[in-house]
Amino acid sequence: MNMKKLLIIGGVAGGASAAARARRLDENAEIILFERGPDISFANCGLPYHIGGAIAERDKLLVTTPAAMVAKFNIDVRVLSEVVSIDRDKKELTIKNLKTGEEYTEAYDALVLSPGAAPIRPPIPGIDQPNVLTLRNLEDMDRIIEALAGKKSAAVIGGGYIGLEMAEALREKKYDTTLIELAPQVMGPADPEMASLLHQELRLFGVNLKLETSVTAFEEARNGVDLILSDGDRLHVDVAILAIGVKPEATLAIDAGLELGVTGGIKVDDHMLTSDPSIYAVGDAVEVTDFTTGQPALIPLAGPANRQGRIAADNIFGGDSSYKNTQGTAICKVFNMAIGMTGLSEKMAKRTGVSYEKVYVHPASHASYYPGSHPISLKLLFDPQTGKVLGAQAVGADGVDKRIDVLAVAIRAGLTVHDLEEMELTYAPPFGSAKDPVNYAGFVASNVLRGDVALFHVEEACNPADHQKLIDVRNPEEVEGGTIPGAKNIPLGQLREKLADLDKEREYLIFCQVGLRGYLACRILTQNGFKCRNLTGGYKTYSMVTAQQLSAVPENDQTSDDPGEESISKAGKPTAAGHVVKHIDTSGLQCPGPIMSLKNALDEIQPGEALTILSTDNGFAADIPAWCNSTGNQLDSVAPAKGGGYEATITKLQRADVCSAVHGGPKRFTNVVFSNDLDRALASFIIANGAATMGYEVTLFFTFWGLNILRKQGPVTLKKTMIEKMFGKMMPQGPEKLSLSQLHMGGMGTAMMKDVMKKKNVSTLPELIKSAQKNGVKMVACTMTMDLMGIKSEELIDGIEEGGVAMYIDHLGNNANLFI
């Protein structure tokens, strides 16, 4: 094209890149760049970090200045110049000089639109108040800094990139910070379970996180603004910052009659050309094509905007460059954590109907024996037929960026999970591992494609079918910190000797902490003729999916929100926090390493003494409250550690202290169900249901004859000894076979009682059992008496946990208890 005059509307990433590229391609062209604000190119992604103080000097945010642009590229840069209209017939712009108010016109041979995206300001009553601000440019940043000066509190509305970065910036400056998000998770593009780790991080750093909540009105208040929330609360803050999202600033394009895409962005082809042959558009205002789905999308990212600016300039000056769609590769820092993603998410795959399989791995960022190692939780999506890599997400304190970058290249190149196995990546202990997390994800996914192991996912673990049985192959010490309800614990080292107790007609759903031992267990079972599947990512993934994370950590002396710890604070701690006599550093160790080290260290100190433990495992902050509650030790604090990771202080308690610690805690009700008489069973479940509806945490502990209440009706094919078979025939099989303890009369009394219950609309025992499960009543079968009486896990109804006296005592506390 014989270029004479190129006009560019908007600077920053897309417009400034187009201008610089255009000059490099044609030294003689007339190039004019119009910018509504005073700055043509600044690091808008760095704005929150200047507010928080990480970037101390404001000028560091200026990528280039108008004077530098003129000197380096001989470009006519006109700041504070707003383009108010485009006349496509005349090929002419009308520009308003914001300094003088003067309007004038400028003709063009080619035009590049780079107006960007504007913050969304929904029509909420009171949203235009002066203390309700947005963040888009340097002027917005200055206004926020000025508004916060001398203030104490702020609210951020929206949990996307800007919202998360602003919440961190505000906490860095010690403001009381509330983050309000309408969705059930922050970081909307990510899958929910990956975001759950961010929820924990936000709360650990003192952010008041309110999910599934919206602002219905802003009301003027003295020295600030009141937020009226959808949950009925009223929140007063000094400053509110909107970070709800952005929308393409397409007003000029609409007024000029340019075609828009289905998403509301300016429609362009792969040369960045709009519906007008002389007008190009780039950056956040344009609609792109998603690389993995082929669907139209709005993906406002700086990297794509820069490339689009270059491509538009190439094509304007006679080249033939094309934009090859957007993957959505991005990363965000959230205090000590980072979340990165590229390609397809599971949410998007379900929405667009793309076939996929997924695996989770939780490896270390580098060799765990070298200081500073942190775990990475990595999710990989791939085509279940071809193995082609479709998408990835990762969360961790270190090494997330380079793994996501490698996987972004793999997606762009069309590689498969088998290629990930073969990737040769850098390794030295400070930087990586001989089997990099990318390799590791490839190994796990390839094992699935080769048929070495079948997977199941958390959704199925939460609702197993009648023919399925959950088996936890972790060690008992790990199980103390929590397990999946209904799971039987068979440590991996004992699995081979327990094979005779398993049923080849059932399918076993195996899990461990992160998936490796579960894989080994499945290999053992499969090669011995059993049907089994492994939970990808193990119990750690289960915890992420079910969001079993800390819900709140107060400022400074952060304490757990675990019920046992709450009860301590309500009743007054049995002792003050103990004198710290020991410190253990478990950095680099993944679960159960930190917990095992803690247990051994506590054995070495005296009751009333305390120790501190440092862990870099991102699940530690959620695991430690449950473990302390289960083992009867006192969690004094858990907080982020300097330099990353988490530090907890634990006081070792004497038995008497443990009893007083639970006094005044949550209302708990327990019942030892010893009998299999119908009337006693009815009483047990009627009382349990009543207590549950009154807010009690109810546990029924079934032992000896009471176990028969939980037996399934009908034949269950199992290998049993002669004595076990005799016991089974002599005992009633399930709730329908129970009889009254008195007035049985050869079965007549029992039948009469059932008839009266029916006429009086009294629930049957099976109905009461179902109601109890629905009401959250925990039913625990005593493993010791199961073994004595020859009752197998497979004979029990679904939803029953198995445990011993320690589990029962932990649920008991100092609350109501019956023995029936």
Side-chain angles (χ1 to χ4, degrees):
M1 184 174 183
N2 183 21
M3 176 51 53
K4 294 181 179 179
K5 192 172 185 180
L6 168 64
L7 304 186
I8 301 171
I9 303 175
V12 195
S17 293
R21 179 67 172 169
R23 174 57 72 218
R24 291 195 295 272
L25 294 173
D26 191 330
E27 178 63 23
N28 298 313
E30 182 181 0
I31 304 170
I32 306 175
L33 189 153
F34 300 98
E35 172 56 50
R36 182 168 47 194
D39 305 295
I40 59 164
S41 188
F42 58 91
N44 49 3
C45 295
L47 301 179
Y49 298 108
H50 178 62
I51 294 172
I55 300 173
E57 298 177 31
R58 184 184 188 276
D59 287 351
K60 295 288 186 182
L61 298 172
L62 296 172
V63 177
T64 188
T65 63
M69 199 80 170
V70 172
K72 186 182 291 186
F73 296 107
N74 189 28
I75 291 171
D76 184 353
V77 177
R78 303 181 188 178
V79 295
L80 298 173
S81 298
E82 181 178 9
V83 177
V84 295
S85 66
I86 303 170
D87 188 328
R88 291 169 54 196
D89 294 332
K90 294 182 179 179
K91 298 180 71 172
E92 170 178 286
L93 305 183
T94 300
I95 304 102
K96 181 178 183 180
N97 185 322
L98 297 180
K99 288 182 179 178
T100 65
E102 172 196 2
E103 289 192 358
Y104 63 97
T105 61
E106 198 77 57
Y108 63 82
D109 294 311
L111 174 64
V112 174
L113 298 178
S114 181
I120 295 173
R121 293 182 70 94
I124 301 172
I127 198 170
D128 293 325
Q129 291 192 54
N131 286 321
V132 181
L133 305 173
T134 58
L135 180 62
R136 183 189 185 191
N137 53 38
L138 289 167
E139 290 69 44
D140 291 340
M141 178 189 74
D142 294 337
R143 279 190 287 271
I144 290 173
I145 292 173
E146 182 181 357
L148 288 169
K151 302 298 195 303
K152 295 181 179 179
S153 63
V156 179
I157 298 94
Y161 292 96
I162 296 297
L164 291 171
E165 291 165 356
M166 274 306 308
E168 178 179 351
L170 292 167
R171 290 300 298 134
E172 290 292 332
K173 289 291 189 178
K174 306 301 181 184
Y175 291 102
D176 293 335
T177 304
T178 299
L179 178 60
I180 301 166
E181 169 56 52
L182 177 60
Q185 66 167 88
V186 299
M187 188 54 68
D191 289 325
E193 71 277 18
M194 306 305 290
S196 69
L197 294 173
L198 303 183
H199 300 164
Q200 172 182 291
E201 190 78 353
L202 288 162
R203 287 164 172 150
L204 276 168
F205 276 86
V207 174
N208 176 24
L209 179 61
K210 297 181 75 69
L211 299 173
E212 298 185 87
T213 306
S214 63
V215 179
T216 60
F218 296 93
E219 293 186 358
E220 187 174 356
R222 186 178 180 183
N223 298 323
V225 60
D226 284 352
L227 280 59
I228 312 303
L229 306 182
S230 58
D231 61 5
D233 283 353
R234 175 185 288 265
L235 176 68
H236 175 81
V237 294
D238 296 318
V239 178
I241 300 168
L242 294 176
I244 299 171
V246 295
K247 61 180 180 180
E249 196 161 285
T251 303
L252 276 175
I254 294 170
D255 292 345
L258 296 176
E259 186 177 352
L260 299 186
V262 295
T263 62
I266 302 170
K267 189 171 184 178
V268 294
D269 63 13
D270 62 353
H271 283 57
M272 307 313 298
L273 187 63
T274 69
S275 55
D276 186 304
S278 298
I279 302 177
Y280 295 75
V282 300
D284 296 350
V286 306
E287 178 180 271
V288 297
T289 300
D290 183 272
F291 182 82
T292 52
T293 67
Q295 300 292 317
L298 293 173
I299 307 177
L301 295 170
N306 274 284
R307 293 196 300 278
Q308 291 163 7
R310 289 173 53 88
I311 290 166
D314 284 349
N315 292 311
I316 289 168
F317 287 92
D320 185 20
S321 295
S322 61
Y323 183 67
K324 297 177 176 62
N325 304 331
T326 304
Q327 287 173 239
T329 305
I331 192 167
C332 182
K333 178 181 178 293
V334 184
F335 296 102
N336 286 343
M337 303 283 283
I339 181 168
M341 62 200 77
T342 186
L344 193 70
S345 67
E346 186 173 5
K347 290 192 294 189
M348 189 189 302
K350 289 178 177 178
R351 189 165 59 246
T352 56
V354 175
S355 178
Y356 70 96
E357 179 57 283
K358 61 181 177 180
V359 295
Y360 299 86
V361 295
H362 305 280
S365 58
H366 62 245
S368 57
Y369 56 81
Y370 188 88
S373 172
H374 294 263
I376 297 173
S377 291
L378 174 62
K379 178 179 184 178
L380 183 75
L381 272 68
F382 58 96
D383 187 301
Q385 302 301 320
T386 66
K388 184 178 178 180
V389 181
L390 300 176
Q393 297 169 50
V395 182
D398 177 55
V400 166
D401 52 348
K402 72 175 183 176
R403 273 66 191 216
I404 290 297
D405 284 344
V406 169
L407 291 166
V409 173
I411 293 169
R412 178 68 63 171
L415 302 184
T416 70
V417 296
H418 301 301
D419 295 313
L420 301 187
E421 287 186 288
E422 301 300 327
M423 279 188 174
E424 186 174 329
L425 303 172
T426 57
Y427 163 57
F431 304 105
S433 301
K435 291 186 287 188
D436 189 85
V438 172
N439 300 131
Y440 190 19
F443 297 148
V444 175
S446 296
N447 283 341
V448 175
L449 291 181
R450 285 191 287 260
D452 291 344
V453 68
L455 299 180
F456 74 101
H457 298 291
V458 172
E459 296 79 7
E460 196 168 357
C462 295
N463 297 284
D466 291 343
H467 70 286
Q468 295 172 326
K469 180 64 181 176
L470 286 157
I471 295 182
D472 185 341
V473 297
R474 297 176 299 162
N475 295 325
E477 294 86 352
E478 298 172 75
V479 179
E480 286 180 339
T483 188
I484 300 176
K488 180 181 179 66
N489 180 216
I490 305 177
L492 178 63
Q494 301 175 20
L495 182 59
R496 289 182 177 88
E497 62 190 65
K498 297 284 187 179
L499 292 178
D501 296 335
L502 303 181
D503 180 5
K504 291 187 177 180
E505 297 302 314
R506 304 200 75 169
E507 180 180 49
Y508 292 99
L509 304 180
I510 310 298
F511 68 95
C512 61
Q513 185 64 24
V514 296
L516 177 57
R517 283 172 290 174
Y519 168 66
L520 299 176
C522 262
R523 295 301 300 156
I524 294 170
L525 292 173
T526 301
Q527 293 177 78
N528 280 280
F530 294 93
K531 296 187 289 290
C532 73
R533 286 185 285 151
N534 183 34
L535 176 60
T536 178
Y539 185 74
K540 191 165 189 175
T541 298
Y542 171 85
S543 297
M544 292 166 60
V545 173
T546 56
Q548 294 178 349
Q549 308 294 340
L550 289 178
S551 65
V553 179
E555 187 75 1
N556 298 326
D557 273 341
Q558 290 102 332
T559 55
S560 159
D561 73 334
D562 177 79
E565 180 64 11
E566 281 187 10
S567 63
I568 292 173
S569 63
K570 287 177 183 175
K573 293 184 179 180
T575 59
H579 173 63
V580 175
V581 297
K582 194 177 186 67
H583 175 77
I584 53 175
D585 186 345
T586 63
S587 299
L589 293 182
Q590 298 191 62
C591 188
I595 293 297
M596 297 299 295
S597 299
L598 173 60
K599 180 180 182 299
N600 293 336
L602 281 172
D603 289 342
E604 298 173 0
I605 67 175
Q606 298 301 312
E609 294 179 333
L611 60 77
T612 61
I613 176 172
L614 175 66
S615 173
T616 53
D617 184 353
N618 51 32
F620 177 79
D623 292 341
I624 189 63
W627 187 86
C628 285
N629 184 52
S630 178
T631 57
N633 292 290
Q634 179 174 298
L635 178 60
D636 297 315
S637 67
V638 57
K642 293 180 179 178
Y646 310 95
E647 186 171 71
T649 302
I650 297 100
T651 297
K652 183 174 181 177
L653 297 186
Q654 299 183 37
R655 184 171 298 275
D657 292 335
V658 175
C659 293
S660 62
V662 297
H663 179 69
K667 298 188 298 182
R668 292 176 177 171
F669 171 82
T670 58
N671 185 1
V672 179
V673 185
F674 183 84
S675 170
N676 59 210
D677 292 327
L678 176 60
D679 43 348
R680 293 186 171 112
L682 286 167
S684 298
F685 279 95
I686 289 171
I687 295 170
N689 278 303
T693 58
M694 293 174 65
Y696 282 81
E697 296 178 5
V698 182
T699 300
L700 298 181
F701 187 76
F702 295 83
T703 185
F704 282 95
W705 319 118
L707 289 168
N708 292 306
I709 302 171
L710 304 179
R711 293 175 70 191
K712 293 177 180 176
Q713 290 181 236
V716 179
T717 305
L718 290 169
K719 289 183 179 181
K720 286 193 172 188
T721 66
M722 181 62 67
I723 297 296
E724 290 173 338
K725 289 178 181 178
M726 290 175 64
F727 267 124
K729 288 180 179 180
M730 289 189 291
M731 295 185 298
Q733 188 176 13
E736 294 283 11
K737 300 297 184 181
L738 306 189
S739 58
L740 295 174
S741 62
Q742 302 290 330
L743 303 176
H744 178 51
M745 296 185 294
M748 290 179 59
T750 301
M752 290 169 61
M753 176 61 73
K754 290 182 178 180
D755 186 58
V756 171
M757 290 172 61
K758 183 177 181 181
K759 290 178 179 178
K760 299 284 188 181
N761 290 320
V762 177
S763 299
T764 64
L765 181 56
E767 289 171 341
L768 288 170
I769 292 173
K770 288 182 180 178
S771 295
Q773 290 179 311
K774 185 177 180 180
N775 288 331
V777 173
K778 188 183 294 291
M779 289 184 270
V780 180
C782 177
T783 52
M784 184 271 289
T785 49
M786 284 177 64
D787 189 48
L788 286 176
M789 300 170 67
I791 294 177
K792 307 296 184 183
S793 302
E794 291 78 4
E795 295 180 81
L796 302 181
I797 61 176
D798 292 330
I800 304 302
E801 297 187 36
E802 297 175 20
V805 174
M807 179 183 287
Y808 160 65
I809 294 297
D810 180 52
H811 290 294
L812 170 60
N814 192 23
N815 289 270
N817 180 59
L818 293 178
F819 191 100
I820 298 179

